Amino acid sequence: MRVEILGQERRRRWRDDEKLAIIMSVGDGGATITEVAHRHDITRQQIYAWRSELKKKGLLSVSSNALFIPIDVNAVQTDVQDGRESRAKMIELRLSCGRTLRFDIAVDTAALTQLIRAVEAA
């Protein structure tokens, strides 16, 4: 018995630049992974797999999904002790990988950026 299937092949071929564009559209305008997956008729897992694949190929930065929030060091929480104000000397930053960095408010921003990238890459 021979079976012949007529119609278009369901499996699509995606180029790396197409995968990258889809991955980078997550978060644009508040778009979630689910919304982006539905928009392109793929599964959420496919987006996660592509993200991992492109990171391994070096086409996607490890910290591309990092969120940087500007802070005003002068507005860091202050404590009042014995009637006088004393500044908090340390800032705690929780990274997406689950690690926590604690650093002095006077840290060099370039050095801090390198440290965050190194920790996120590990």
Side-chain angles (χ1 to χ4, degrees):
M1 179 176 199
R2 184 176 150 175
V3 177
E4 188 173 332
I5 300 176
L6 302 174
Q8 188 176 10
E9 179 184 9
R10 174 70 176 140
R11 177 176 277 201
R12 291 170 286 174
R13 308 285 185 222
W14 298 89
R15 294 186 324 263
D16 285 342
D17 61 329
E18 294 171 321
K19 293 176 186 179
L20 189 58
I22 291 171
I23 290 170
M24 298 307 287
S25 69
V26 173
D28 286 348
T32 65
I33 288 180
T34 302
E35 292 168 343
V36 171
H38 284 139
R39 187 180 316 138
H40 296 283
D41 195 28
I42 57 177
T43 65
R44 290 175 35 213
Q45 183 55 38
Q46 190 66 57
I47 292 176
Y48 292 120
W50 286 349
R51 186 183 291 168
S52 178
E53 173 192 332
L54 293 174
K55 283 180 184 177
K56 287 178 184 173
K57 288 182 176 180
L59 299 174
L60 183 65
S61 167
V62 174
S63 61
S64 69
N65 58 350
L67 176 64
F68 290 95
I69 302 171
I71 62 167
D72 181 4
V73 177
N74 296 323
V76 174
Q77 179 182 357
T78 59
D79 297 322
V80 177
Q81 297 173 347
D82 301 326
R84 61 173 200 245
E85 198 175 279
S86 66
R87 284 192 171 275
K89 298 289 184 199
M90 300 293 285
I91 295 175
E92 183 174 295
L93 178 63
R94 295 179 191 206
L95 303 175
S96 61
C97 62
R99 295 185 176 117
T100 301
L101 294 177
R102 290 182 188 92
F103 49 91
D104 187 80
I105 60 172
V107 70
D108 176 53
T109 55
L112 180 60
T113 302
Q114 288 179 337
L115 178 63
I116 291 170
R117 287 186 179 144
V119 170
E120 286 285 321

